[in-house]
Structures are given as structure tokens and as C-alpha cells.
Amino acid sequence: KNEVEQSPQNLTAQEGEFITINCSYSVGISALHWLQQHPGGGIVSLFMLSSGKKKHGRLIATINIQEKHSSLHITASHPRDSAVYICAVATTSGTYKYIFGTGTRLKVLA
Amino acid sequence: DADVTQTPRNRITKTGKRIMLECSQTKGHDRMYWYRQDPGLGLRLIYYSFDVKDINKGEISDGYSVSRQAQAKFSLSLESAIPNQTALYFCATSGGGRGSYNEQFFGPGTRLTVL
């Protein structure tokens, strides 16, 4: 079992739909990072959070430390949101370790 | 201009060739990382460096070496490339001192194909 699991792996939505992507982890963490990977390959940081909730535009990220779970929500989705969304955690063990999920591929249809 | 740059962006090479991928950053960060990404797998850490004199192996360092020429430059070398090193390679940087975690910033990636 992977230490960081994302669901779903693939998601197709119609423009305007509310989208939720989930991330569960099994290790102790100091922070969780949501990343967006564009079709061309580039990776952009969306949120880094260690508790509660953060919002930026149409994107909302939440984390529940007790349940070891985070969600990324996209409101009023748009075709330009089509990308791979990656969850990554910074663990509390050792000097350094950053574990990535395998990503959720989102396609938003016009 | 991009804060983290990688060269080349695409490279096709043959088995046995030596390849160097370069990463430069203008963010003034001490920490730099090299990852590889394969289809269906999460990014995996190859090497990381907390400063010019501190270089550490990641989870998949076999077949790779690195050089931290300056705070702003971190190069990844494949001494003798093999086909299963075909992947997308990312450089990343972060600030912060040892023991702390800071947000990572990624370069645009290098797509490497080994024939």
C-alpha cells in the first residue's frame, strides 16, 4: 500500500461542475502540498497546508490531521483546469522525506 | 524569467552515453532536489542538497550522480545511460534550514529518452 493515496485516479467533468480530489496518507506529516501539473509537464504549486483550510480563487484545500486526509476542491470548473493534480506530504521522520501521490488526471469538458 | 530553469528541455540519447542535466535557480534557496517521474508513479527523489557541501542520496540514486557547483546550480549526471532511465526529470528548490520544511518550487522538467 502506498503511503500517499489519491482518488480518483482519473476524473472527467462538465464545465461548471464542483470537483473534489482526495488525498489520504499513512505517515506523520509536517505539511501537505497540492501541486498542479500542466499537460506540457510543468509543475505549479497550489497550496501548502498543515491544518485547516486555504482558498485561492476557485480552489479550496482542506486538511484533517486526525483523519490523515486532505481534499482539493474546484468550484465552477473550467476546461483550463484540466491537468494532473498531485498531493505530496513532508514527513516528520528522518532529516528529510517528501512523498508524492501518483496524481489525479482531471479533464473538464466544455 | 523563470525562477528555476532546466536545460536541456528535451534530450534523446543512446544507451551508454554520458548525459548531464542542469538546473539553475534565482530564488536564493539553499535546498535543491532532483526527481524523476514515470507514468503511473509519483515523483521519486534521486538526490538532494541542503547546501553546496551537503549532498544526499534519495530513494533511487543508483546510476546517477550530482554536482552542486554553486548555491544556484545543481547538475544531474547519468554516467552511462540505459533505456529504463527514460523519464521526465524535475529539479526543485526550497528555502529553510535543516530540519524545517518549506514549499518546493519546480523547474519545467527535462524529458529524457534513452534508446
Side-chain angles (χ1 to χ4, degrees):
Chain A
K1 191 180 186 327
N2 294 333
E3 293 168 301
V4 179
E5 296 272 2
Q6 287 186 237
S7 63
Q9 289 185 312
N10 294 281
L11 180 58
T12 300
Q14 293 292 325
E15 184 174 359
E17 286 186 9
F18 181 85
I19 289 165
T20 296
I21 299 170
N22 297 298
C23 177
S24 296
Y25 53 91
S26 58
V27 295
I29 71 168
S30 56
L32 184 143
H33 203 169
W34 280 104
L35 304 159
Q36 180 191 54
Q37 185 169 22
H38 298 294
I43 295 175
V44 175
S45 174
L46 297 176
F47 297 102
M48 188 180 74
L49 63 167
S50 56
S51 65
K53 176 180 175 179
K54 288 190 175 181
K55 184 176 188 291
H56 181 69
R58 295 180 295 105
L59 301 178
I60 303 167
T62 63
I63 188 168
N64 185 317
I65 297 295
Q66 287 73 31
E67 294 185 2
K68 296 188 173 181
H69 181 269
S70 176
S71 293
L72 176 69
H73 305 286
I74 304 174
T75 62
S77 60
H78 190 276
R80 65 175 175 267
D81 297 325
S82 298
V84 176
Y85 292 84
I86 300 170
C87 169
V89 301
T91 70
T92 53
S93 63
T95 56
Y96 170 83
K97 194 169 184 183
Y98 199 17
I99 305 171
F100 294 82
T102 56
T104 294
R105 186 174 299 275
L106 171 65
K107 186 172 184 180
V108 181
L109 304 175
Chain B
D1 288 342
D3 295 320
V4 185
T5 58
Q6 292 183 233
T7 56
R9 294 293 311 279
N10 289 282
R11 182 72 183 268
I12 300 174
T13 191
K14 294 182 178 179
T15 297
K17 295 291 187 181
R18 183 179 187 275
I19 297 295
M20 179 180 285
L21 309 183
E22 299 187 344
C23 177
S24 295
Q25 53 111 348
T26 58
K27 299 188 76 67
H29 286 165
D30 287 328
R31 296 179 174 185
M32 298 186 74
Y33 314 86
W34 275 105
Y35 294 98
R36 68 176 276 176
Q37 185 180 43
D38 298 278
L41 299 178
L43 279 82
R44 292 181 292 167
L45 183 63
I46 306 172
Y47 271 95
Y48 63 102
S49 170
F50 284 160
D51 62 42
V52 175
K53 295 181 180 179
D54 180 46
I55 292 178
N56 306 278
K57 292 182 178 180
E59 59 183 302
I60 54 163
S61 59
D62 288 348
Y64 301 94
S65 62
V66 291
S67 173
R68 185 82 184 264
Q69 301 94 323
Q71 186 205 35
K73 295 184 182 295
F74 193 35
S75 300
L76 176 72
S77 293
L78 289 68
E79 296 300 325
S80 180
I82 56 177
N84 76 0
Q85 291 177 313
T86 293
L88 188 54
Y89 290 84
F90 286 98
C91 173
T93 74
S94 68
R98 180 177 281 274
S100 68
Y101 170 74
N102 293 89
E103 182 177 2
Q104 292 192 16
F105 298 86
F106 290 82
T110 294
R111 190 169 297 278
L112 176 66
T113 302
V114 183
L115 301 177

